[in-house]
Amino acid sequence: MLRVGLDIGTGFVKCVSDHGAVRFPSLYVKRTHGDWADADSEAIGERAAGMLHTAGAATVRPVVRGRPDPRYQKQVEMLIREAVSRVRVAAGRAADCNEKARMAVGLPYEASDCRESISKMVKRCVPADRCDVVAQAVGTLVDMDKGTGMVVSIGQGTSEIVVIEDNQVIDGESSRWASEFITRKIGKFAHLDTDALHRRRETCKRYAKVLAANLADEITDMSAGYGHAYDIILSGGGLLIPGVRDELESRLKKRFRISVPADPVMSNATGLYKLLVE
């Protein structure tokens, strides 16, 4: 039985299984080749990223603010199949084998209305005998071997601020103060190029101050409703943008105890996988 933790993010798909982890861009490109070509070509992931600026390329981001865009169901299913195919290959199996899988999928806090549709979609793509759909912040807390805390996961499309107590989600919000606020200042697809972000380090740091100030206010407001009783766990790929982690920690450390997973990018998917093996 293949066990898979899957986080289909706005910027990247993150997937953890019994046989390792994979990560690739949440991106789809269809390219029209012209009158002499028999058919258009389409690609997802890194291959799609490599086609972004070629002639005749039309780009789709199938996931918006952490939830699948209903206009692009086919493209989201392609991302799911690609993730599971990669972990099957890592296990030494054929990419399209029909081995049963057990899945745990993460969604933003405010995407609870998508739980049933995501579960059905995954089961169409993968012969899964079980598909648990949970708030993605749960994954980070499980990865940290904690049952209680306030998870702040800074993604490309949303920053999740979620209160979890005794392994139960009790409150949260999906904030628009996310990585995209910074990366779009560099370029539309700058989040795909870490080197480009570091070359524009000073620009990133300037906007990181704004992002961190607004996120810190939202975190503090939510925490106040619970008497500031919860430790803060910071995660998500946004922490890797120059300035974000330092700015956010400097605003929070006087009031909160703060911890960060060993791999903040993959922590959601890692914890989702752990849910299946515990």
Side-chain angles (χ1 to χ4, degrees):
M1 176 73 68
L2 183 66
R3 293 170 294 192
V4 179
L6 182 62
D7 180 3
I8 315 167
T10 301
F12 292 88
V13 175
K14 285 84 66 179
C15 182
V16 175
S17 76
D18 303 301
H19 307 285
V22 297
R23 174 176 175 265
F24 57 89
S26 294
L27 198 64
Y28 168 91
V29 169
K30 183 174 183 179
R31 186 179 178 195
T32 302
H33 294 291
D35 295 338
W36 288 88
D38 292 331
D40 297 340
S41 62
E42 56 184 358
I44 56 173
E46 297 91 350
R47 185 162 172 260
M51 294 166 58
L52 280 176
H53 305 295
T54 59
T59 306
V60 167
R61 295 174 67 178
V63 181
V64 178
R65 297 201 69 222
R67 65 168 70 200
D69 188 326
R71 296 174 298 173
Y72 302 119
Q73 179 175 301
K74 169 194 168 183
Q75 287 79 7
V76 175
E77 292 185 0
M78 289 175 70
L79 295 175
I80 294 169
R81 290 190 180 96
E82 177 68 13
V84 176
S85 293
R86 292 192 187 197
V87 298
R88 283 174 174 157
V89 169
R93 297 170 175 81
D96 59 352
C97 75
N98 290 319
E99 177 189 14
K100 287 283 187 181
R102 185 163 291 175
M103 308 281 293
V105 181
L107 284 178
Y109 177 82
E110 293 177 2
S112 60
D113 57 318
C114 294
R115 292 174 65 181
E116 185 175 352
S117 62
I118 283 292
S119 180
K120 289 180 179 178
M121 183 183 295
V122 169
K123 289 178 178 178
R124 281 198 302 271
C125 299
V126 183
D129 71 339
R130 170 179 162 187
C131 179
D132 299 328
V133 182
V134 302
Q136 61 191 33
V138 170
T140 287
L141 204 65
V142 172
D143 183 37
M144 297 289 286
D145 296 320
K146 296 177 182 289
T148 297
M150 180 181 288
V151 176
V152 180
S153 182
I154 307 171
Q156 181 67 12
T158 68
S159 287
E160 299 297 295
I161 307 172
V162 180
V163 178
I164 302 171
E165 187 171 301
D166 295 330
N167 299 307
Q168 297 294 314
V169 175
I170 61 172
D171 199 1
E173 66 175 85
S174 298
S175 172
R176 290 181 179 271
W177 290 101
S179 297
E180 193 168 38
F181 171 74
I182 299 173
T183 60
R184 70 187 180 191
K185 312 297 191 226
I186 312 299
K188 185 176 181 181
F189 297 104
H191 66 284
L192 301 175
D193 187 351
T194 303
D195 291 339
L197 295 177
H198 282 275
R199 287 194 299 271
R200 300 287 298 277
R201 176 181 295 271
E202 294 309 313
T203 299
C204 288
K205 286 185 175 181
R206 183 164 69 250
Y207 288 105
K209 291 181 180 180
V210 180
L211 174 68
N214 283 279
L215 265 182
D217 285 346
E218 293 185 1
I219 293 163
T220 302
D221 286 348
M222 182 171 292
S223 178
Y226 298 93
H228 300 302
Y230 298 104
D231 294 350
I232 304 293
I233 300 94
L234 299 178
S235 69
L239 292 180
L240 304 186
I241 297 174
V244 170
R245 179 171 175 176
D246 289 345
E247 290 289 342
L248 193 54
E249 286 186 333
S250 70
R251 285 169 167 79
L252 298 174
K253 65 184 180 182
K254 292 181 181 179
R255 174 167 283 173
F256 302 101
R257 288 187 295 272
I258 300 170
S259 56
V260 180
D263 187 344
V265 175
M266 297 298 294
S267 61
N268 282 343
T270 300
L272 292 169
Y273 167 72
K274 288 181 177 180
L275 283 174
L276 298 173
V277 299
E278 291 180 346

